[in-house]
Amino acid sequence: MDLDNRSVQVLQLIASTVNISSKEIIEKYDLTRNQLDYALKKINAYLQESDYRKIIRSRNGTFVVDTKVVNSFSGIENSESQLMADEYSFLEEDYRLLVILLLIFSADYLSLYHFSESLEVSKNTIVSDIKKLKKQLKQYKLTIDYSRKNGYYFRGDEETIRGLILVVTDQVIDSIYNHQIFEKYLAIQSKEIETQRKLLRSIEKELQVQYTDNRIQTAPYFLVLLDRRIKNHHYIEKYFGLQAKEIMDTNEYAAVVKVLAGKKMLPKSYTDHLYLCLYILSLKVTDLSNIFSLNKETLRIHIEMFITTLEKNTIIQLNDKERLIENLILHLIPAYYRIRYGLTSDYMLTDIVKNQLDPLFFIVKSSIAPLEVFFEERIPNDEIYLITMFIGAYMQKEKPINLDNTIVKAAVVCPNGIISSKLLENTLDNWFPMIHFSTSLSIRDFYEKEKTLDIQLIFSTTPLKTDLPIIVVGNDLSDMNKTLIVNEVIQLIYKIDSYKLQPDHILSIIKKHLPMNTETEGKIRKELMISYNSIFQIQDQEILTNETKLNLSDLITKESIIILENKLSWSEVLQAATNNLIDRNIVEARYLKHLENQFPEVTPNILLGNKIVIPHTVPENGANELGMCLAKVTQGFMSQGKIYHYVVVISATDKKMHIQPMMQLLKIASDPKIIRCLDNANDKESLLAIIQKFKKI
């Protein structure tokens, strides 16, 4: 049997979205309860007919989905997904709007009649669609105009238009309508895409780089649309000036021009051929063998300065810094062209991921100055979010590799580039101590090396054709269905179906027979989870977020504030503040000795905003738990010829729990108005009131 379009959409959504509820599906697709029930019946009939397990609706309104269903039906951006809209599927409104945008972008002349005939909707619907698009385009300072001579067309900055179309192209690629939109509505032929893909392969060879799988998949479509726009006489008007000379003098520019000219694909317009070269050079890479014209050693120095500043602001020593620097170089070389020349980022982050990253993002942004000096440009927030994801992957407490205790070896396959693959690898590495993750690979690398890999298991963000056992996980960290992943790992390694042993399932049985309040239920669930994780050696840790959401006010309380009225030395202030932590059993007595040895004077690496001194040392030196002591020295103390009034001694036991409090402390140290408020506070209550204002910001 075949599924109708609505059922295809519902199946895709359930398979690819963790813990989505019936209510969310009903609201997204404007369904009634009966319509959803009918769709689920059709979906389950289809799954059973195709030898898959049925989707089960749980008591809390979410769905229990077998991992094989997730593997087969969640990934849409790859060509191997089993879900695809056929050419007769009726486009839902959101995708119809994308088609209208792409048509206006690439076509020579378009009227209401063209839209109505092509999309098989009324002219009134098209008029309504264009009104909605005009509202959406206001944020880009673009609009859609109409004239009898030109039909419908964009009005606005050409570079902005191209950036928008790059984003829209990626959105279409990720949809079940991708083939339908590109082939049916935009009339893009497969041979056009293959021509552009061969072009990128030739450029890879000439530059000695390897582009990410995603860029090899999506860039050819943008290049086809870009070629159409140039042929329709829409040119870049930006004057690059001295920046143009900078880029045209580079080896990589010469290499790209050589390939484009050799294939007779170099635009005649000077600004457009420069734009095309910059776009190609800005594509993300997974491997970089060539020595680019960018001074890598200078970039390395600025990265090291950035990491030093970041470590000070986070009070964290990052692991494996040499590898971190090399991978940052790999990421920042193509990013240089995006940032330096104002091109659109080739990686879009969801608001959910951004919200999770916010505390660390603020600290990374506050530390980014050395990189901005290298780029000679302000780094956009989207690029800083990417760097934040990257840094977050290295903030894990690394698991010592003991191959005697690992049960299987695994590889991670990810088409999204070095940032996503590192983030995914570290997440899984923390979840599964019994697995040794030997390598991260692109899809191309995997197929080339598959026969030589010494592994028994693959984790991938996209389905693969392989005889090896494979577990498909979500593209975004926030979307990973940990329950499904853990269950399948246990099935593969221990040959046990662990679903009936999971804490939520056991708890549902207990609740049938024993009434309990919310607090009791939470405690029982926590103990069941600890026991479950212990039995199967599962770690319950997150990479960038901490579930307890600690704030600065949770660590700096009335008991952890001291006011020192007398004139004291740095050594005396350090002793008084650290003794507060010792008295509260947050640190051992030896913690003070280590601080005294490390910091006989105040040094730049323990200064926040040049106002707050933050002495700290590694957990191994006597830290028992997370804690802080704020000492206000009324008369100030002198060190290295400078006077300071505030000291916060910090005890950190891991690399995550204190990130949000540190972000809030950094905000205080960076704001002269707040420092003046602290200066005017004469007692603990007043100081505490200022700290309390930073709760959950």
Side-chain angles (χ1 to χ4, degrees), residues 600-617:
E601 297 287 348
V602 173
T603 54
N605 64 316
I606 56 169
L607 265 179
L608 282 187
N610 293 321
K611 293 292 182 182
I612 300 178
V613 186
I614 53 166
H616 58 278
T617 185

PDB file of all heavy atoms in Angstrom, residues 600-617:
ATOM      1  N   PRO A 600      50.912  33.832  44.063  1.00  0.00           N
ATOM      2  CA  PRO A 600      51.511  34.700  45.092  1.00  0.00           C
ATOM      3  C   PRO A 600      51.137  36.161  44.848  1.00  0.00           C
ATOM      4  O   PRO A 600      51.186  36.977  45.758  1.00  0.00           O
ATOM      5  CB  PRO A 600      53.016  34.465  44.901  1.00  0.00           C
ATOM      6  CG  PRO A 600      53.159  33.934  43.513  1.00  0.00           C
ATOM      7  CD  PRO A 600      51.922  33.164  43.236  1.00  0.00           C
ATOM      8  N   GLU A 601      50.773  36.488  43.618  1.00  0.00           N
ATOM      9  CA  GLU A 601      50.270  37.816  43.273  1.00  0.00           C
ATOM     10  C   GLU A 601      49.051  37.633  42.356  1.00  0.00           C
ATOM     11  O   GLU A 601      48.834  36.554  41.800  1.00  0.00           O
ATOM     12  CB  GLU A 601      51.339  38.651  42.548  1.00  0.00           C
ATOM     13  CG  GLU A 601      52.573  38.949  43.367  1.00  0.00           C
ATOM     14  CD  GLU A 601      52.338  39.978  44.459  1.00  0.00           C
ATOM     15  OE1 GLU A 601      51.266  40.631  44.446  1.00  0.00           O
ATOM     16  OE2 GLU A 601      53.221  40.143  45.320  1.00  0.00           O
ATOM     17  N   VAL A 602      48.264  38.699  42.186  1.00  0.00           N
ATOM     18  CA  VAL A 602      47.143  38.670  41.238  1.00  0.00           C
ATOM     19  C   VAL A 602      47.712  38.719  39.818  1.00  0.00           C
ATOM     20  O   VAL A 602      48.487  39.622  39.484  1.00  0.00           O
ATOM     21  CB  VAL A 602      46.185  39.849  41.473  1.00  0.00           C
ATOM     22  CG1 VAL A 602      45.120  39.893  40.372  1.00  0.00           C
ATOM     23  CG2 VAL A 602      45.537  39.744  42.840  1.00  0.00           C
ATOM     24  N   THR A 603      47.347  37.749  38.992  1.00  0.00           N
ATOM     25  CA  THR A 603      47.835  37.696  37.611  1.00  0.00           C
ATOM     26  C   THR A 603      46.656  37.872  36.645  1.00  0.00           C
ATOM     27  O   THR A 603      45.497  37.640  37.015  1.00  0.00           O
ATOM     28  CB  THR A 603      48.518  36.339  37.349  1.00  0.00           C
ATOM     29  OG1 THR A 603      47.605  35.276  37.698  1.00  0.00           O
ATOM     30  CG2 THR A 603      49.779  36.208  38.181  1.00  0.00           C
ATOM     31  N   PRO A 604      46.931  38.278  35.387  1.00  0.00           N
ATOM     32  CA  PRO A 604      45.841  38.535  34.429  1.00  0.00           C
ATOM     33  C   PRO A 604      44.910  37.352  34.209  1.00  0.00           C
ATOM     34  O   PRO A 604      43.733  37.543  33.913  1.00  0.00           O
ATOM     35  CB  PRO A 604      46.599  38.888  33.135  1.00  0.00           C
ATOM     36  CG  PRO A 604      47.899  39.433  33.597  1.00  0.00           C
ATOM     37  CD  PRO A 604      48.255  38.643  34.830  1.00  0.00           C
ATOM     38  N   ASN A 605      45.435  36.128  34.348  1.00  0.00           N
ATOM     39  CA  ASN A 605      44.590  34.965  34.069  1.00  0.00           C
ATOM     40  C   ASN A 605      43.562  34.669  35.159  1.00  0.00           C
ATOM     41  O   ASN A 605      42.748  33.753  35.010  1.00  0.00           O
ATOM     42  CB  ASN A 605      45.464  33.719  33.827  1.00  0.00           C
ATOM     43  CG  ASN A 605      46.255  33.309  35.046  1.00  0.00           C
ATOM     44  OD1 ASN A 605      46.835  34.155  35.727  1.00  0.00           O
ATOM     45  ND2 ASN A 605      46.281  32.011  35.330  1.00  0.00           N
ATOM     46  N   ILE A 606      43.550  35.434  36.254  1.00  0.00           N
ATOM     47  CA  ILE A 606      42.485  35.267  37.258  1.00  0.00           C
ATOM     48  C   ILE A 606      41.737  36.588  37.468  1.00  0.00           C
ATOM     49  O   ILE A 606      41.198  36.841  38.540  1.00  0.00           O
ATOM     50  CB  ILE A 606      43.022  34.724  38.602  1.00  0.00           C
ATOM     51  CG1 ILE A 606      44.129  35.626  39.162  1.00  0.00           C
ATOM     52  CG2 ILE A 606      43.500  33.287  38.457  1.00  0.00           C
ATOM     53  CD1 ILE A 606      44.494  35.291  40.611  1.00  0.00           C
ATOM     54  N   LEU A 607      41.680  37.400  36.405  1.00  0.00           N
ATOM     55  CA  LEU A 607      40.966  38.676  36.483  1.00  0.00           C
ATOM     56  C   LEU A 607      39.788  38.671  35.531  1.00  0.00           C
ATOM     57  O   LEU A 607      39.931  38.348  34.342  1.00  0.00           O
ATOM     58  CB  LEU A 607      41.902  39.832  36.104  1.00  0.00           C
ATOM     59  CG  LEU A 607      42.618  40.572  37.236  1.00  0.00           C
ATOM     60  CD1 LEU A 607      43.508  41.656  36.645  1.00  0.00           C
ATOM     61  CD2 LEU A 607      41.633  41.165  38.220  1.00  0.00           C
ATOM     62  N   LEU A 608      38.605  39.024  36.023  1.00  0.00           N
ATOM     63  CA  LEU A 608      37.434  39.219  35.179  1.00  0.00           C
ATOM     64  C   LEU A 608      37.170  40.713  35.064  1.00  0.00           C
ATOM     65  O   LEU A 608      36.954  41.398  36.075  1.00  0.00           O
ATOM     66  CB  LEU A 608      36.190  38.542  35.775  1.00  0.00           C
ATOM     67  CG  LEU A 608      36.043  37.037  35.606  1.00  0.00           C
ATOM     68  CD1 LEU A 608      34.674  36.601  36.120  1.00  0.00           C
ATOM     69  CD2 LEU A 608      36.220  36.587  34.173  1.00  0.00           C
ATOM     70  N   GLY A 609      37.188  41.226  33.836  1.00  0.00           N
ATOM     71  CA  GLY A 609      36.891  42.630  33.620  1.00  0.00           C
ATOM     72  C   GLY A 609      37.794  43.580  34.367  1.00  0.00           C
ATOM     73  O   GLY A 609      37.410  44.729  34.615  1.00  0.00           O
ATOM     74  N   ASN A 610      38.980  43.105  34.753  1.00  0.00           N
ATOM     75  CA  ASN A 610      39.950  43.920  35.520  1.00  0.00           C
ATOM     76  C   ASN A 610      39.400  44.399  36.861  1.00  0.00           C
ATOM     77  O   ASN A 610      39.966  45.293  37.485  1.00  0.00           O
ATOM     78  CB  ASN A 610      40.407  45.145  34.699  1.00  0.00           C
ATOM     79  CG  ASN A 610      41.226  44.739  33.493  1.00  0.00           C
ATOM     80  OD1 ASN A 610      42.042  43.818  33.576  1.00  0.00           O
ATOM     81  ND2 ASN A 610      41.002  45.401  32.377  1.00  0.00           N
ATOM     82  N   LYS A 611      38.291  43.791  37.314  1.00  0.00           N
ATOM     83  CA  LYS A 611      37.662  44.245  38.556  1.00  0.00           C
ATOM     84  C   LYS A 611      37.522  43.145  39.601  1.00  0.00           C
ATOM     85  O   LYS A 611      37.647  43.387  40.793  1.00  0.00           O
ATOM     86  CB  LYS A 611      36.267  44.826  38.252  1.00  0.00           C
ATOM     87  CG  LYS A 611      36.279  46.116  37.453  1.00  0.00           C
ATOM     88  CD  LYS A 611      36.862  47.260  38.271  1.00  0.00           C
ATOM     89  CE  LYS A 611      36.837  48.578  37.515  1.00  0.00           C
ATOM     90  NZ  LYS A 611      37.438  49.673  38.296  1.00  0.00           N
ATOM     91  N   ILE A 612      37.225  41.927  39.161  1.00  0.00           N
ATOM     92  CA  ILE A 612      36.972  40.827  40.096  1.00  0.00           C
ATOM     93  C   ILE A 612      38.074  39.779  39.949  1.00  0.00           C
ATOM     94  O   ILE A 612      38.321  39.273  38.850  1.00  0.00           O
ATOM     95  CB  ILE A 612      35.594  40.190  39.855  1.00  0.00           C
ATOM     96  CG1 ILE A 612      34.488  41.240  40.035  1.00  0.00           C
ATOM     97  CG2 ILE A 612      35.369  39.018  40.806  1.00  0.00           C
ATOM     98  CD1 ILE A 612      33.093  40.715  39.765  1.00  0.00           C
ATOM     99  N   VAL A 613      38.730  39.449  41.063  1.00  0.00           N
ATOM    100  CA  VAL A 613      39.785  38.442  41.071  1.00  0.00           C
ATOM    101  C   VAL A 613      39.145  37.085  41.338  1.00  0.00           C
ATOM    102  O   VAL A 613      38.365  36.938  42.294  1.00  0.00           O
ATOM    103  CB  VAL A 613      40.847  38.760  42.144  1.00  0.00           C
ATOM    104  CG1 VAL A 613      42.018  37.776  42.044  1.00  0.00           C
ATOM    105  CG2 VAL A 613      41.337  40.201  42.009  1.00  0.00           C
ATOM    106  N   ILE A 614      39.445  36.088  40.510  1.00  0.00           N
ATOM    107  CA  ILE A 614      38.787  34.777  40.654  1.00  0.00           C
ATOM    108  C   ILE A 614      39.815  33.656  40.823  1.00  0.00           C
ATOM    109  O   ILE A 614      39.997  32.824  39.922  1.00  0.00           O
ATOM    110  CB  ILE A 614      37.858  34.485  39.463  1.00  0.00           C
ATOM    111  CG1 ILE A 614      38.628  34.648  38.123  1.00  0.00           C
ATOM    112  CG2 ILE A 614      36.630  35.374  39.467  1.00  0.00           C
ATOM    113  CD1 ILE A 614      37.895  34.059  36.927  1.00  0.00           C
ATOM    114  N   PRO A 615      40.487  33.559  41.959  1.00  0.00           N
ATOM    115  CA  PRO A 615      41.451  32.465  42.168  1.00  0.00           C
ATOM    116  C   PRO A 615      40.755  31.106  42.183  1.00  0.00           C
ATOM    117  O   PRO A 615      39.680  30.950  42.774  1.00  0.00           O
ATOM    118  CB  PRO A 615      42.067  32.787  43.529  1.00  0.00           C
ATOM    119  CG  PRO A 615      41.070  33.669  44.202  1.00  0.00           C
ATOM    120  CD  PRO A 615      40.379  34.438  43.140  1.00  0.00           C
ATOM    121  N   HIS A 616      41.335  30.136  41.530  1.00  0.00           N
ATOM    122  CA  HIS A 616      40.778  28.780  41.473  1.00  0.00           C
ATOM    123  C   HIS A 616      41.883  27.828  41.072  1.00  0.00           C
ATOM    124  O   HIS A 616      42.915  28.246  40.525  1.00  0.00           O
ATOM    125  CB  HIS A 616      39.642  28.704  40.451  1.00  0.00           C
ATOM    126  CG  HIS A 616      40.071  29.116  39.073  1.00  0.00           C
ATOM    127  ND1 HIS A 616      40.148  30.440  38.680  1.00  0.00           N
ATOM    128  CD2 HIS A 616      40.507  28.389  38.002  1.00  0.00           C
ATOM    129  CE1 HIS A 616      40.574  30.515  37.433  1.00  0.00           C
ATOM    130  NE2 HIS A 616      40.811  29.292  36.997  1.00  0.00           N
ATOM    131  N   THR A 617      41.682  26.560  41.321  1.00  0.00           N
ATOM    132  CA  THR A 617      42.643  25.549  40.895  1.00  0.00           C
ATOM    133  C   THR A 617      41.890  24.294  40.492  1.00  0.00           C
ATOM    134  O   THR A 617      40.657  24.239  40.598  1.00  0.00           O
ATOM    135  CB  THR A 617      43.673  25.265  42.014  1.00  0.00           C
ATOM    136  OG1 THR A 617      44.670  24.358  41.519  1.00  0.00           O
ATOM    137  CG2 THR A 617      43.022  24.680  43.254  1.00  0.00           C
TER     138      THR A 617
END
